[in-house]
Amino acid sequence: MAQPAHGEDPADPRAEFATALARLRNRLPDVSDEVLARRASATTLPSGRRVAVNARRVGEWLGGRSVPRDFEQVFALVRAVETATGGAASGAAPGPTVESWRRLWRAAHEHRTAARGTPPAPAPELVVGRPPSDAASLRQRPELAAAVDDALRDPAARQVVLTGPGGSGKSQLAAAAFHRARGSGGLLTWITASSRQSVLTGYARAWRALAGGLLDRPAGHEGRPVDGYGHDEETQADLLVAWLRATAQPWLVVLDDVDDPSALDGLWPIGDGGRSIVTTRRRDAAVFRPAARVVAVGMFSPAESVDYLRNRLSLDPAAVRTAPAGDAELADLAAALGHFPLALSQAAAFLIDTGIELAAYRRLIDDRRERLADLFPASSPADGHDRTVAGTWRLAAQRAAALAKPGTAQRMLELVSLLAPEGVPERVLLSGAACGWIGGTAREAAAALRALHRLSLLTHEGSAVAMHALVQRAVREAVPEPELPGLARTAADALEQAWTADADPAALYDSIEAVRRAAGEHLWHGGMHPVLRRIGEHLNRVGRATAARDALADLLRQARARLGDEHRDVLVLRTQTAETNGDLGDAAGALAALRELHEDARRLLGDDDADTLRVRLHIARQRIDRGEPAAALAELSVLTGDAARLLGGEHPLTLAARRYAALCLGLSGDAAAARDEFARLAQESAARLGEAHPETLNLVDFLGRWIGESGDAEQAVATYQRAADGLAAAFGPLHHDTLTARHNLAYWRALTGRLDQAVAEFSTAAYDAAHAIGPRHPTTLTFRTNLAYWRGLAGDPHGGMAELAGLLPIIDEVMTPAHPRALRTRQQHAELRHRAGDPAGARADLTAVLADMRRVQGDAHPRTREVADLLTRWTAES
């Protein structure tokens, strides 16, 4: 920074001093004023003592609004910054010397503006009330702060409403806005608004301060109090409300923690001269007033969470003696706490107070035996908040209980606490099982949901419900132990009812797993709860065979221990396990296991039992995978008749048998027959469920393949486009079924010769799949392998080969080397190698692939025959 020459009188010494301080401050951009002030206060001066430095004063000094009273405060601030940045060792240009700082400070301190003309007297300002202290590592949250400031500047807005869960930081944001408003004159008052009486008391206090006439008398003149003093709080509050409405003076009223908006009838601050800020967890119509601007306050972002923990833990004196936690560790803890500001603050306080290692604390968080009251104790309070993670929801729950039929809100809260933290379909909570649990009708259940939403205990938007995971855990821990078994079975019943009512399985699966984690031991009363069957079914359906294998192994172990080897549920789980092993590439082993299971099922359940029929379905399916479509078709034809007779023509098992039979027609070489049968199935589904129903659209997706295999690739593209558009409308573009249809559309578009457009569609689908279901999900890996393959065919065989080579180890790890996708990827790599000009290497690769295909899939499998024919052609060409 350029310094004034010795003896030179700068034009504005205060501005010169403020500029020098700002440049010093900018050397620590990631440290808050609060932290910097603490470090300065802890700095030892040459005299051996310390001096207090206030964070708000630092802001005033930087803005040129005031100058430190003592130079020791300046010295402490400079030394704190230089210590933190390493002084000259930091690489920054050297700053002013101590003597230069002393000259700057003295000139600014002694400067008088009278010589330059007396400016207008500043507008008088009256501040009443005490905002909460800044949090120990206050996060500025610039986007939310900007939203508040923009709303306060909006001429059409008279009130800013900060709404969100308890402990999300609403009061800190309001306090920051309150302090930013200082210096503009007028009345600024902070009022705790948890009850009507507290607002009356705050208003009366503001009126008594105002009644001295400070704001309504000319500067420098004494005057009588404005409009009378009033003799009680009600009268004084009325006088303040009337003054706010009539005055031209600026004012800002903050109503913090409004608990019951209806209780403030007649007390809302209204007037053209000022603005108000309201903080509340409520989301009632009474809060959303015509001239109000709502700012939703939620959780920290991941970056804000890590930044908060890093800065807060750095204040621990013990931190200087140990290596600080890395950002990865902090990010892991923040994610485990759901980025909940109150939880992060209490966790940091607990770590500092107890001295426990972060990794050990992280393990305690995951330990379901630990209670939140012990992990976030009142003895380690959050800064700026007087409640704990374990208790902050209780008051809100009491308020919600008054907004719905007695008992229903609390019971609904308990039910939601067992489900997934987000994306729970509303129909689960309006099901017969849910209504039975809360003791009300579907309408009363909906009212209970809205009551909880109004208190920010959960979010109920559209047809989905979400609740923060820590709030769920706190609610679960408060459920009386004797009630937990019934609650768990009710949650499972509600999910099963929603599943059979055609709710999206993907939206239900996470909740099934949540119930299983939280209270799975209660789902084995009299046998395995039917909803647990859905786990393996769903994971296999979306291609997650490895996850299905692991989940089924755990369920099978529990079933055998609880029920014995010959129980129906054990047979069902064995059937699903065999199916999964087949999907992982062991079709022969799966077929042998299923045949053994069929004999057990006939003996234990009988030939006509639905679970026995289901074993027959899976036997036929494994024969398809082994390349025996004709034999499978014969079995499926008989099974379809039996299932229709015993279960009905519209039973899911009957319809599944018909779908596999149609597939066998195509795989046996009669593509036209497969096309016609899938068209018939799609038409029946449309008549039964509607053309836009997901089941109908999935059948349209199957139909597209056989239209193409029948020789009409353009019509196949049009059919896939219809399926993809319909599924996107039903589920969204990132649902597994939609992604699959988009992939199939790109594949058949490539077969029409439009490679550039197809590669673009493959690329978009692969990118979306990676973000929606994960980069290692089997469906994503399938998309990526086909993207690489078609890129190679579109003119970059070497690039395609490199991508496939990089993907193959991941596929082997996720799906096993014997999985059909692994074998297919090796085949695609060999084809691109041949196209790249290495026929000998391609033949060697394909020979190895063919040997593995014959071993795993058998000679009759369509893909084995395809590779054998391709190898024969290449050999002849050589």
Side-chain angles (χ1 to χ4, degrees), residues 56 81 131 199 217 492 518 568 578-579 591 688 759 817 861:
R56 295 199 186 100
V81 173
V199 175
R217 64 182 180 230
R568 172 190 298 275
E579 176 196 6
L591 186 58
R688 185 173 68 255
V759 167
H861 193 281

Side-chain angles (χ1 to χ4, degrees), residues 104 130 147 243 250 340 354 365 454 492 556 567 666 699 813 850:
L104 284 169
R130 185 180 298 112
W243 182 86
F340 191 4
T354 63
I365 294 290
R454 288 165 65 181
L556 187 56
H567 193 278
L699 285 166
E813 179 185 346
L850 179 59

Side-chain angles (χ1 to χ4, degrees), residues 536 540-541 545 552 573-598 613-633 635-636 639 656-657 660-661 663-664 667 818-820 853 855-862 864:
N540 278 319
R541 183 178 176 277
L552 289 168
L573 293 170
R574 287 173 58 198
T575 302
Q576 292 183 349
T577 300
E579 176 196 6
T580 302
N581 290 334
D583 289 344
L584 288 169
D586 186 10
L591 186 58
L594 286 166
R595 283 175 172 154
E596 179 183 343
L597 266 166
H598 185 228
L613 297 178
R614 190 167 286 107
V615 176
R616 290 169 59 189
L617 177 70
H618 289 301
I619 288 174
R621 191 183 153 223
Q622 293 306 320
R623 298 197 74 171
I624 295 172
D625 289 345
R626 280 185 54 79
E628 304 170 10
L633 178 59
E635 294 180 4
L636 287 164
L639 175 61
Y660 283 121
L663 176 63
C664 288
L667 295 177
H819 192 278
M853 283 185 169
R855 175 177 54 82
V856 173
Q857 300 174 164
D859 286 321
H861 193 281
T864 307

